[in-house]
Amino acid sequence: MKQFKSIKKILDDAGVDYELVEHEKAVTSKEASEITGWSADSGAKSILFKTKDGFLLVVVRGTNRVDFKKLRQHLGLRKARLATPEEVLEIMGVE
């Protein structure tokens, strides 16, 4: 949960206008949309990546996809992969 609080603090400090919607576990944006009744486009999803230097959390609009190649190029990384479910639980404190 500490990572969630960190993200919330960054948004608050930057003055970002957002609404926090708590909902049951959802693995995809589509599932979250069905649970909340909100369009997936109005939400955001966080994707945890593992790199040789550690973990990287990318937050994008619910309907957007992350292009691994562009992400690696932009950050100067040779490799990046999705975190495993176990790593997500360890780092983010959520399943």
Side-chain angles (χ1 to χ4, degrees):
M1 206 53 140
K2 66 181 177 179
Q3 296 300 329
F4 168 77
K5 290 179 182 177
S6 296
I7 295 168
K8 187 174 179 327
K9 182 173 179 358
I10 290 168
L11 294 172
D12 291 341
D13 290 350
V16 174
D17 184 29
Y18 66 94
E19 180 176 349
L20 178 62
V21 178
E22 295 186 32
H23 57 78
E24 64 189 69
K25 178 182 173 180
V27 178
T28 66
S29 295
K30 182 179 179 196
E31 286 178 19
S33 176
E34 290 169 356
I35 291 167
T36 63
W38 293 41
S39 122
D41 193 50
S42 67
K45 61 185 171 188
S46 56
I47 306 165
L48 188 65
F49 290 91
K50 174 75 168 114
T51 72
K52 69 175 183 135
D53 297 322
F55 291 93
L56 171 69
L57 184 67
V58 176
V59 180
V60 296
R61 182 181 300 254
T63 53
N64 287 7
R65 299 178 66 92
V66 175
D67 183 318
F68 280 55
K69 184 176 179 180
K70 287 181 182 178
L71 177 69
R72 288 193 313 270
Q73 288 174 341
H74 180 72
L75 298 174
L77 301 170
R78 288 178 42 98
K79 291 184 178 180
R81 65 167 174 79
L82 289 174
T84 66
E86 296 79 16
E87 290 167 334
V88 171
L89 180 59
E90 177 187 339
I91 301 300
M92 301 297 295
V94 296
E95 292 184 52

